[in-house]
Amino acid sequence: MIGDKKVILSGIQPSGDSITLGNYLGALNNWVKLQSEYRCLYMLADMHTLTVRQEPSQLRARTLSLLAQYIAAGLNPQENILFIQSHVPAHAELTWILNCYTQMGELGRMTQFKDKSKRHADNINAGLYDYPVLMAADILLYQADMVPVGTDQKQHVELARDIAQRFNGVHGDVFTIPEPYIAPPSAGSKIKSLQDPTAKMSKSDPNPNGCIFMLDPPEVVIKKIKRAVTDSEAEVAYREGKDGVNNLLTIYAAVTGKSVEDAVSEFAGKGYGDFKAAVGEAVAECLRPFQLNYRTLMNSKDYLESVYKDGAEQAGRIAERTLNKVKKKVGFVPR
Ligand code: TYM
């Protein structure tokens, strides 16, 4: 708790030119809904991106751009603590300590590690393996009660719980045990690729038509949705075996705020052509204000700088408090 509010922490990696519709519907859009009820810290997870090679000037630009995207989506910097992970050294320090409370076997079981090591077989670095411990440090430093993420991050949040419980078991109550907060799949916690609706929508999709980026121009969005893989049944229904149509219905419902059931009845008797055109329009409509806000913010670099500086100060204070407690517990001599 901070004051009388429960604490939320989450983050996105600044690893693409813009976030994807999956990041938006699975994470950012939910964060906006939670911001007044909870004390929220939203991080730009730049340290995590180094697990895959980055071009330095691009990483710098993308980090600033991601901050603008957070605010453009509706996160209020006055109400939330928005900060850059690498600005708070406590993340790296706590990671080291937690490494010594994490088993190799636990990290080897992480499905994202297995997937990413296949995709980056020439660079299976220790950071890629250790990444979930850094994520546990991110969460535990702020004594977060809840961690709003998409389905693909659930396993990492569960590991953070296990590490926290283990540490508390040895040293007493130091960490709050965090809960993952995941919307149901029909509400967008697992948006699929438009080209392979059995896989998640991801910026690293080998087919560029599989992924919608939040800064894609409207005509591109409409075209990508028009080309989305569906099935040969020509019936707009939400049921097993219709992954492509289910995904488009989920996207439509999430961006319009309608239920999937209402969306299904809206398209009853309509063909896939009309359906896809309506979904494309609805997504483009949702992106319009986001992109407008984004452009305005990117013209106010001083403002963005003031937001992340202030965020680092506030986050740093909270993180230091936890880190000092941890250092004392493990037996480090205070400075
Ligand atoms: P990242 O950057 O891969 O994704 C950011 C958020 O977007 C969600 N997401 C999706 N949700 C629905 N459908 C999709 N297709 C989809 N793709 C991505 C992710 O679940 C995530 O919530 N390790 C994290 C970042 C992180 C973090 C943290 C999160 C670092 N420290 C501490 C929470 C707490 C990551 O790589 O997310």
Side-chain angles (χ1 to χ4, degrees), residues 197-210:
T198 58
K200 78 163 182 176
M201 180 180 283
S202 155
K203 49 200 148 210
S204 47
D205 197 314
N207 186 331
N209 287 321

Side-chain angles (χ1 to χ4, degrees), residues 75-308:
L75 287 182
N76 178 353
Q78 244 75 54
E79 225 172 352
N80 305 281
I81 301 178
L82 309 182
F83 71 102
I84 299 176
Q85 184 183 29
S86 65
H87 286 182
V88 181
H91 291 251
E93 285 188 77
L94 183 61
T95 300
W96 172 253
I97 298 173
L98 296 183
N99 271 334
C100 305
Y101 292 78
T102 308
Q103 300 301 307
M104 302 280 281
E106 290 178 300
L107 296 178
R109 277 196 291 279
M110 295 292 117
T111 51
Q112 209 169 67
F113 170 69
K114 292 192 232 170
D115 289 351
K116 283 201 178 175
S117 2
K118 266 191 223 135
R119 260 190 288 132
H120 303 278
D122 56 336
N123 183 22
I124 307 177
N125 59 72
L128 193 65
Y129 185 67
D130 199 35
Y131 155 122
V133 185
L134 176 58
M135 184 159 156
D138 301 337
I139 297 167
L140 301 180
L141 273 176
Y142 302 95
Q143 308 287 359
D145 297 282
M146 258 169 46
V147 185
V149 285
T151 311
D152 63 322
Q153 292 293 333
K154 184 165 180 248
Q155 201 184 24
H156 294 157
V157 181
E158 282 166 354
L159 180 67
R161 284 172 62 88
D162 292 344
I163 297 173
Q165 270 157 350
R166 187 169 306 139
F167 192 94
N168 286 356
V170 179
H171 299 291
D173 272 349
V174 176
F175 295 125
T176 301
I177 309 300
E179 290 282 346
Y181 173 93
I182 298 173
S186 63
S189 66
K190 196 170 186 182
I191 300 297
K192 309 287 179 51
S193 160
L194 298 177
Q195 289 299 315
D196 173 9
T198 58
K200 78 163 182 176
M201 180 180 283
S202 155
K203 49 200 148 210
S204 47
D205 197 314
N207 186 331
N209 287 321
C211 179
I212 292 177
F213 291 94
M214 291 296 286
L215 295 176
D216 276 346
E219 62 278 10
V220 172
V221 171
I222 290 167
K223 211 188 296 163
K224 283 181 181 174
I225 291 182
K226 206 166 151 189
R227 290 188 182 151
V229 169
T230 47
D231 52 54
S232 54
E233 291 178 354
E235 184 198 356
V236 181
Y238 191 97
R239 63 168 176 261
E240 225 183 300
K242 291 180 76 73
D243 294 328
V245 173
N246 294 350
N247 191 37
L248 291 178
L249 280 167
T250 302
I251 291 173
Y252 182 77
V255 298
T256 56
K258 296 177 184 169
S259 68
V260 169
E261 294 73 47
D262 285 350
V264 169
S265 33
E266 198 176 322
F267 296 109
K270 296 223 168 100
Y272 285 168
D274 290 345
F275 171 52
K276 285 178 174 178
V279 178
E281 275 304 329
V283 175
E285 203 48 52
C286 159
L287 299 197
R288 215 160 273 139
F290 172 86
Q291 296 184 356
L292 212 64
N293 291 341
Y294 171 79
R295 282 192 203 103
T296 311
L297 285 157
M298 285 305 279
N299 283 325
S300 334
K301 295 273 160 60
D302 290 352
Y303 171 68
L304 293 176
E305 192 180 312
S306 73
V307 170
Y308 70 66

